[in-house]
Amino acid sequence: MTTVIADGWTMTRRNMTHVVRAPEELILYFSLPIMFVLVFGYVFGSGMQVAGGGSYREFLLPGVFVMTMLYGLGATATGVALDLSRGVVDRFRSMPMARSALMTGRSAADLLRALLEMSTLLVCGLLVGWQWRQGVGKAVLAVGLLLLLRIAITWVGIYLALLVRNPETVGVIVFPAAFPLSAISNVFVSPELMPPAIGTISEWNPLSATVAAIRELFGNPGLGGDSWPAEHAMLLAVLWPVLLIATFAPLAVRRYQRLSR
């Protein structure tokens, strides 16, 4: 067990070193959510409505936090695919180290990276007028739900990279898939203001559950609706990530074990 933890930590440090040495990658992934805040919050914000009333900017920021977790999928999948294409994974597999270290190290490094991203985004949110209104305890719980979602997305990214194995192909797949997932959710618009069919899809979107839950915990506007997902957002914000982890973590482990066959 000690060896597994030590090897996992070694791979975590290796992945975090790559982040430090490639700050342009962090800038790229930060620029998109910040751009959405500026465009939707300042340019279109005056014309956007929030179900139940309230500031659109405060409505938007929790959605941007969740969207940032989602777009971490690209960094995870691309990083693993690059290691595969360069033969790094094969070299590590030939070394006397725990087989689980590669994936646990990637997952832990992505979690640390998510903490860095969330710290920066929380500061940016405060600078543009967003604030939490329910105390520090609930704010910490909201961040915990965001990190739980990020862990689930990390395992999706690992499995996708192991399945595709080509960094260019991974990039082509991730972003066209991620944007519709965030667009048909409650990130930008309340489901109540959407056409009925799209609103129903939005309410059951895994991203929407986390967004609704952290809006409640932060005390931000946008709560409402009498549907089952709207009334049980906190439960779904836990169940959806757990279901994703339970599905994609075993798939990723199985795929990883088959690499040498």
Side-chain angles (χ1 to χ4, degrees), residues 23-249:
E24 67 280 357
E25 186 178 319
L26 280 177
I27 294 173
L28 174 64
Y29 283 101
F30 276 126
S31 62
L32 186 62
I34 291 174
M35 180 186 70
F36 278 126
V37 171
L38 295 176
V39 172
F40 282 87
Y42 286 95
V43 179
F44 301 135
S46 59
M48 303 292 282
Q49 297 181 9
V50 178
S55 166
Y56 180 73
R57 205 171 301 156
E58 286 201 8
F59 169 86
L60 176 65
L61 261 296
V64 172
F65 298 156
V66 169
M67 190 174 64
T68 303
M69 298 299 102
L70 172 64
Y71 278 91
L73 173 67
T76 300
T78 301
V80 175
L82 280 171
D83 283 347
L84 286 165
S85 66
R86 293 170 179 172
V88 175
V89 172
D90 290 334
R91 289 198 293 273
F92 282 135
R93 284 167 60 88
S94 66
M95 297 171 64
M97 62 182 294
R99 289 295 183 92
S100 62
L102 282 170
M103 289 185 288
T104 57
R106 169 60 62 176
S107 182
D110 282 0
L111 186 60
L112 292 174
R113 175 176 170 154
L115 280 170
L116 175 62
E117 293 172 349
M118 276 306 307
S119 299
T120 304
L121 284 174
L122 286 171
V123 172
C124 290
L126 293 172
L127 291 175
V128 300
W130 169 84
Q131 58 184 303
W132 68 80
R133 304 176 182 278
Q134 300 281 19
V136 175
K138 289 189 176 181
V140 171
L141 181 56
V143 173
L145 290 177
L146 287 165
L147 296 179
L148 177 62
L149 178 66
R150 180 58 174 266
I151 293 172
I153 290 171
T154 293
W155 281 106
V156 175
I158 292 173
Y159 175 67
L160 177 63
L162 292 170
L163 187 66
V164 177
R165 304 188 63 172
N166 185 291
E168 290 78 14
T169 304
V170 165
V172 170
I173 293 173
V174 167
F175 292 101
F179 183 75
L181 189 62
S182 57
I184 307 177
S185 71
N186 62 359
V187 169
F188 301 112
V189 181
S190 299
E192 296 92 330
L193 303 178
M194 299 178 181
I198 297 178
T200 300
I201 295 173
S202 173
E203 287 186 320
W204 284 98
N205 187 327
L207 301 184
S208 294
T210 301
V211 173
I214 66 173
R215 279 181 182 143
E216 180 179 345
L217 291 170
F218 284 136
N220 295 148
L223 303 177
D226 55 2
S227 64
W228 197 92
E231 294 176 351
H232 299 84
M234 204 74 66
L235 175 64
L236 288 176
V238 175
L239 290 182
W240 270 121
V242 169
L243 178 61
L244 290 172
I245 294 170
T247 301
F248 285 96

